[in-house]
Amino acid sequence: MNRLLLVFIFIFSITTAYAQRYSQYNTGTLYDSFENPAQRSFIPDSSRMYASNFLIPNFNTYALLTGNAQSTLLHRAFFSNYRVTDARLIAGSGTSNHAVASANSYALMFKVFTSLNGDQELGFSAQSRAEGRGVTTDQLVSLVSGTGTFENNHVYENALNSKIYYQAYHQFSLSYRERVSKQFAIGFKLSALLGIAYKKWDITQSALSFSSENNINMYLAGKMLSNYIPGQSTGHDLVPNFRNPGAAISIGTMFRTHDGFVLQWNVKDLGFVHWSKASQTYIFNNVTSASLNTGTSRDDQIYQAFKGVIQDAPVTASFTTPLHGRAEVSAGRTFYLSDDKEITYFPTLIAAKQFYDHGMEGALVNHLRYHNTVFTLTGIYNDLRTFSLGTQLMYKTPNVDFYIGSDALLQTITTARQAGKNEDLVNHYAPYSAASVFLGFSLKFGSFIEHPMNASMIPMGEKGFFARLYGRLFKVKSN
């Protein structure tokens, strides 16, 4: 966290993901029920009453990088040095490189089926999340890597313009799900947040020139927000504390039509984090010069030059930032491919939009199930004009969930081979680079949920609040 510039350039390699977003849709796993609050995780007459992951992390990771600088940055990441030359990085081209990252890891999930008559589920979860997005120019990467060719005494306007945002936080949640009628269900997830780290850097105006091969002049104007207090980062920084509190809510609804379609509407993680009074705001508008000595790391020299401009005269005060919540709508339907209904096909079409960013995505999730084994093929297209193909393999019974997969399978395999020091593959240009892995497990235990006719022990409970309200408004019974 002590390298502003390098953090930006390597944002795509944060241990994060924009993550396993869609493959779990309409699977009915414990993870699915926490991410999509209206989704049920228990099946009466089949499931046991309690569900948990028993502190086995359910996690997902995804990272995406697009643009001409891919090979140069990947070479730095996997070989600890930059490419000697990169013909795609042309000074003055004005092209941009985009990075997206986010992560979600559930350390604890626990749910209980509280009422058969009201069909209600109550849950608690503890998770850690991170999210980030960035854009930078070819010129900035060329400057740092030394792979570009710049003309002396030529001013490159806005060559260093860039934006970076990332934040990480712990999230502790209570969830409630209720079937209001035979067709309609609603769910909520209320969360308390404890912030870990935040940084937002926005260079809106810039200029770059070389007076000679190793002497640069830079102009930078913009704003940076950071909760980070200078010093060596340690594992203690990840321990939950109350310095940076926040709150969030997720709301989900599900409607089953008479012809079998399952429609979902979700508003996810609409909330904020209030960063402590020790946080810092930098507003900068200044010039600097630097001599790039061959005996010192070029990264360090440029970092120091940037730091001299950006971190001048900070204002120390608290500030509040929104989560990058999202809205999702989906439609799906089950098709039976065998007379005994042992083979099913469940396609789901999903559209998603972030509230405070450009992030738009569409996905088609295809679940093919045979007995207790589910194979999923997912196609995802986003506003960066990238298409990825993901797969998932899941073993699922009414009381056991286990799944593993990737939202960008081919790109993940390529990235793994690049990490294995395959330089030819690193230097090969691709439309985008990505990596994604997700894994999850949960188990149900306790008494079976049984209807009264054959139950030895079951808490019937009452209808839920929303079911009672629905019945009074429409004069119907909710079964």
Side-chain angles (χ1 to χ4, degrees):
M1 294 173 62
N2 65 336
R3 300 286 182 92
L4 240 55
L5 187 58
L6 295 184
V7 164
F8 172 66
I9 291 178
F10 295 108
I11 185 176
F12 71 95
S13 64
I14 298 172
T15 56
T16 58
Y18 201 164
Q20 185 255 330
R21 303 144 290 184
Y22 307 120
S23 295
Q24 281 286 293
Y25 247 86
N26 289 319
T27 58
T29 62
L30 186 59
Y31 178 96
D32 183 20
S33 71
F34 276 105
E35 288 293 289
N36 303 297
Q39 178 64 259
R40 74 175 186 177
S41 57
F42 296 92
I43 304 173
D45 292 321
S46 297
S47 298
R48 295 182 181 271
M49 190 172 295
Y50 307 101
S52 178
N53 66 328
F54 297 94
L55 298 178
I56 298 174
N58 283 227
F59 69 91
N60 51 70
T61 61
Y62 182 92
L64 171 70
L65 178 68
T66 70
N68 294 333
Q70 292 178 67
S71 294
T72 296
L73 296 178
L74 291 172
H75 203 283
R76 178 66 173 86
F78 298 136
F79 293 92
S80 300
N81 56 59
Y82 295 104
R83 292 182 62 178
V84 176
T85 59
D86 191 340
R88 290 186 173 273
L89 293 179
I90 303 173
S93 64
T95 55
S96 298
N97 302 273
H98 294 264
V100 175
S102 69
N104 191 5
S105 177
Y106 280 88
L108 174 65
M109 296 184 289
F110 177 79
K111 267 200 173 184
V112 57
F113 189 91
T114 59
S115 172
L116 184 62
N117 193 28
D119 202 348
Q120 301 163 47
E121 301 178 12
L122 195 63
F124 170 80
S125 64
Q127 62 192 117
S128 298
R129 304 182 66 127
E131 56 196 23
R133 195 175 181 105
V135 58
T136 185
T137 62
D138 282 357
Q139 288 97 323
L140 177 56
V141 179
S142 297
L143 175 65
V144 175
S145 64
T147 55
T149 301
F150 293 91
E151 297 179 12
N152 290 340
N153 300 315
H154 177 81
V155 178
Y156 295 90
E157 297 287 347
N158 295 320
L160 307 178
N161 286 16
S162 54
K163 294 182 180 181
I164 170 180
Y165 137 81
Y166 72 83
Q167 68 179 348
Y169 52 91
H170 299 295
Q171 184 170 356
F172 301 91
S173 307
L174 290 175
S175 69
Y176 174 78
R177 185 260 184 192
E178 177 185 328
R179 190 188 67 167
V180 179
S181 69
K182 288 184 177 180
Q183 293 178 275
F184 182 71
I186 189 169
F188 298 89
K189 181 180 176 183
L190 303 176
S191 303
L193 309 179
L194 301 176
I196 301 172
Y198 179 87
K199 190 179 294 292
K200 184 177 182 180
W201 171 10
D202 189 2
I203 299 178
T204 56
Q205 297 181 58
S206 65
L208 172 68
S209 66
F210 281 72
S211 56
S212 64
E213 183 178 357
N214 293 317
N215 293 288
I216 61 173
N217 303 297
M218 295 188 298
Y219 163 67
L220 303 173
K223 183 178 182 179
M224 187 179 80
L225 301 173
S226 176
N227 82 306
Y228 177 63
I229 301 173
Q232 185 64 36
S233 178
T234 67
H236 184 73
D237 297 334
L238 302 178
V239 176
N241 60 75
F242 295 98
R243 288 194 298 268
N244 309 300
I249 183 173
S250 296
I251 304 173
T253 61
M254 178 181 288
F255 184 79
R256 295 179 181 272
T257 67
H258 291 293
D259 51 357
F261 282 92
V262 178
L263 309 177
Q264 285 196 62
W265 297 266
N266 288 291
V267 173
K268 298 185 177 181
D269 296 309
L270 189 62
F272 66 92
V273 177
H274 183 73
W275 301 96
S276 76
K277 61 183 180 181
S279 302
Q280 296 179 322
T281 300
Y282 304 85
I283 298 176
F284 50 91
N285 186 348
N286 211 337
V287 297
T288 188
S289 300
S291 297
L292 304 179
N293 303 315
T294 56
T296 307
S297 168
R298 190 180 181 97
D299 292 342
D300 288 331
Q301 296 175 74
I302 295 175
Y303 163 72
Q304 293 298 332
F306 268 69
K307 181 180 177 181
V309 174
I310 294 175
Q311 294 190 345
D312 183 35
V315 176
T316 301
S318 61
F319 55 81
T320 301
T321 61
L323 302 189
H324 278 215
R326 53 198 289 122
E328 296 178 358
V329 295
S330 70
R333 190 179 189 278
T334 298
F335 297 91
Y336 296 102
L337 304 184
S338 64
D339 294 335
D340 58 6
K341 297 184 179 181
E342 290 290 339
I343 304 176
T344 63
Y345 170 57
F346 196 143
T348 301
L349 187 63
I350 305 167
K353 173 68 173 72
Q354 287 191 348
F355 289 117
Y356 302 108
D357 212 329
H358 299 294
M360 294 183 64
E361 290 182 311
L364 179 61
V365 183
N366 303 274
H367 298 303
L368 182 63
R369 178 166 186 161
Y370 176 69
H371 291 294
N372 296 324
T373 303
V374 182
F375 175 76
T376 302
L377 186 67
T378 303
I380 304 170
Y381 186 79
N382 61 32
D383 59 345
L384 295 179
R385 299 182 180 180
T386 66
F387 175 80
S388 62
L389 198 63
T391 58
Q392 174 182 252
L393 184 63
M394 179 167 61
Y395 175 79
K396 178 170 175 55
T397 72
N399 295 301
V400 178
D401 305 328
F402 175 79
Y403 58 88
I404 186 172
S406 170
D407 267 343
L409 181 63
L410 298 179
Q411 289 76 20
T412 300
I413 294 172
T414 298
T415 301
R417 293 176 61 195
Q418 291 170 334
K421 308 299 183 182
N422 188 326
E423 189 167 10
D424 290 338
L425 199 57
V426 169
N427 292 337
H428 175 73
Y429 178 78
Y432 69 96
S433 301
S436 166
V437 177
F438 56 83
L439 178 72
F441 164 82
S442 66
L443 185 69
K444 295 183 178 70
F445 60 99
S447 302
F448 278 100
I449 303 169
E450 300 172 310
H451 281 88
M453 294 295 293
N454 58 355
S456 57
M457 181 180 178
I458 188 73
M460 279 297 296
E462 298 181 354
K463 295 177 182 178
F465 169 78
F466 295 103
R468 294 196 301 272
L469 180 63
Y470 179 87
R472 291 169 184 169
L473 289 175
F474 298 101
K475 309 299 181 184
V476 297
K477 294 182 178 180
S478 297
N479 298 320

